[in-house]
Amino acid sequence: MGISPSSVRAAKDHIQVVAAVLAAGLIAGCSAVPNQKELSLLEEQRQAMEAAEDKVAEKKAEKARLEGELADAKAELKALDEKKAATEANLSNRMSE
């Protein structure tokens, strides 16, 4: 009991039909030119990306500004601590005289 030539031919025909339907579906679904909806979506994504990049730039500038303020505040604190230490030293020297 082997496979009859007619059933092999029928199977090949069936496979060819399925392949043709799949190929047609793929070709119909994939066009070389994007449609208006796809272009609109792409434009929205581009604008969102630009807005995010602008926000990142703003935050980096703000971070730099705040780091500068922090460095200034630390320098002022250090100067005030040194002045305080010098004042305390002067007071202790005067009291010991």
Side-chain angles (χ1 to χ4, degrees):
M1 286 214 80
I3 301 174
S4 70
S6 62
S7 64
V8 170
R9 193 174 318 116
K12 284 183 182 179
D13 290 342
H14 182 69
I15 290 172
Q16 288 176 346
V17 168
V18 169
V21 169
L22 287 176
L26 289 174
I27 291 171
C30 300
S31 64
V33 180
N35 62 32
Q36 189 59 39
K37 183 177 179 183
E38 292 170 331
L39 289 174
S40 296
L41 182 60
L42 184 62
E43 179 62 21
E44 288 176 17
Q45 289 173 344
R46 186 190 63 77
Q47 289 175 354
M49 181 189 69
E50 286 179 359
E53 287 173 345
D54 290 346
K55 189 82 163 181
V56 167
E58 283 177 27
K59 294 299 180 183
K60 283 183 179 180
E62 182 180 7
K63 179 183 176 187
R65 180 184 60 79
L66 291 172
E67 285 175 342
E69 287 180 14
L70 180 61
D72 291 345
K74 284 182 177 181
E76 184 179 357
L77 178 62
K78 182 179 179 185
L80 290 173
D81 283 342
E82 290 171 356
K83 186 176 180 180
K84 178 183 174 187
T87 303
E88 288 174 349
N90 286 337
L91 281 174
S92 71
N93 284 343
R94 287 190 182 207
M95 289 189 165
S96 64
E97 291 179 2

